Amino acid sequence: MTFTEDQVRRIEELKKLYQKPQAVVLTALWMWQETHGWISEEGMKAVADILGLPPHHVYGVVTFYTMFNKQPVGRHKIEVCTNVSCMLRNSEKILKHIEDRLDIKVGETTADGRFTLVEAECLGSCGTAPAAQIGEKYYENLDEHRIDAILDQLK
Ligand code: FES
């Protein structure tokens, strides 16, 4: 696995634009994840190679940001915020409800590869807690009924 020709071209343009390869790490990792679904060791090495950075630098970035998947995930990654505001508005109950409904625990993926469930830190939607992110979409003011309706719509 490697970057596509178009991705290589875009990364090279960004390297020229920013003049520091470190400034392109997040974008390159995101490109890799969009193509492959997660960031494997091979992916980290590919990013380090194309940017001329030491692999440990890329590893540090991947492990710092929760948006990067360190293992394969299902088609829909459900991230339920359990930070303070969401916790005070029953996010633990929602998390448990999803675990029971999908028959998985936090950090696991359903056998059909449809859903992965993870716990998230503050998603920045504290005023509309409890909140969750599924893929790139936010869902707010959640309760068990609402999350059921949302999950029903996801193929
Ligand atoms: S605490 Fe959940 S969105 Fe901020």
Side-chain angles (χ1 to χ4, degrees), residues 94-114:
I94 290 167
L95 199 61
K96 176 80 173 91
H97 179 76
I98 298 171
E99 283 183 334
D100 292 345
R101 178 185 160 131
L102 301 180
D103 196 25
I104 56 173
K105 295 287 178 202
V106 169
E108 294 180 346
T109 299
T110 54
D112 61 2
R114 194 166 157 211

Side-chain angles (χ1 to χ4, degrees), residues 6-146:
D6 185 51
Q7 288 171 330
V8 170
R9 186 184 49 73
R10 286 167 55 207
I11 289 169
E12 293 303 331
E13 283 171 7
L14 291 171
K15 279 166 64 178
K16 277 189 203 133
L17 180 69
Y18 294 118
Q19 313 232 329
K20 285 188 187 276
Q22 292 90 338
V24 189
V25 172
L26 290 176
T27 304
L29 286 169
W30 194 251
M31 284 180 189
W32 185 275
Q33 182 163 289
E34 278 186 321
T35 305
H36 304 286
W38 66 294
I39 314 282
S40 58
E41 271 187 38
E42 184 185 10
M44 289 184 234
K45 186 173 175 342
V47 171
D49 287 348
I50 200 167
L51 298 179
L53 292 169
H56 69 262
H57 178 89
V58 176
Y59 178 82
V61 174
V62 171
T63 53
F64 180 80
Y65 290 101
T66 56
M67 68 184 181
F68 293 124
N69 303 322
K70 288 95 181 163
Q71 57 191 16
V73 294
R75 283 198 302 285
H76 306 288
K77 182 179 172 190
I78 306 166
E79 301 177 69
V80 178
C81 175
T82 54
N83 220 301
V84 179
S85 299
C86 289
M87 181 194 70
L88 292 172
R89 299 212 47 202
N90 295 321
S91 61
E92 298 283 343
K93 223 168 130 185
I94 290 167
L95 199 61
K96 176 80 173 91
H97 179 76
I98 298 171
E99 283 183 334
D100 292 345
R101 178 185 160 131
L102 301 180
D103 196 25
I104 56 173
K105 295 287 178 202
V106 169
E108 294 180 346
T109 299
T110 54
D112 61 2
R114 194 166 157 211
F115 295 108
T116 296
L117 178 62
V118 297
E119 210 170 330
E121 292 301 326
C122 181
L123 293 171
S125 291
C126 312
T128 52
Q133 182 177 353
I134 304 177
E136 294 181 0
K137 208 165 169 195
Y138 266 39
Y139 298 91
E140 299 160 311
N141 294 308
L142 291 173
D143 59 25
E144 288 95 328
H145 299 295
R146 191 156 143 62

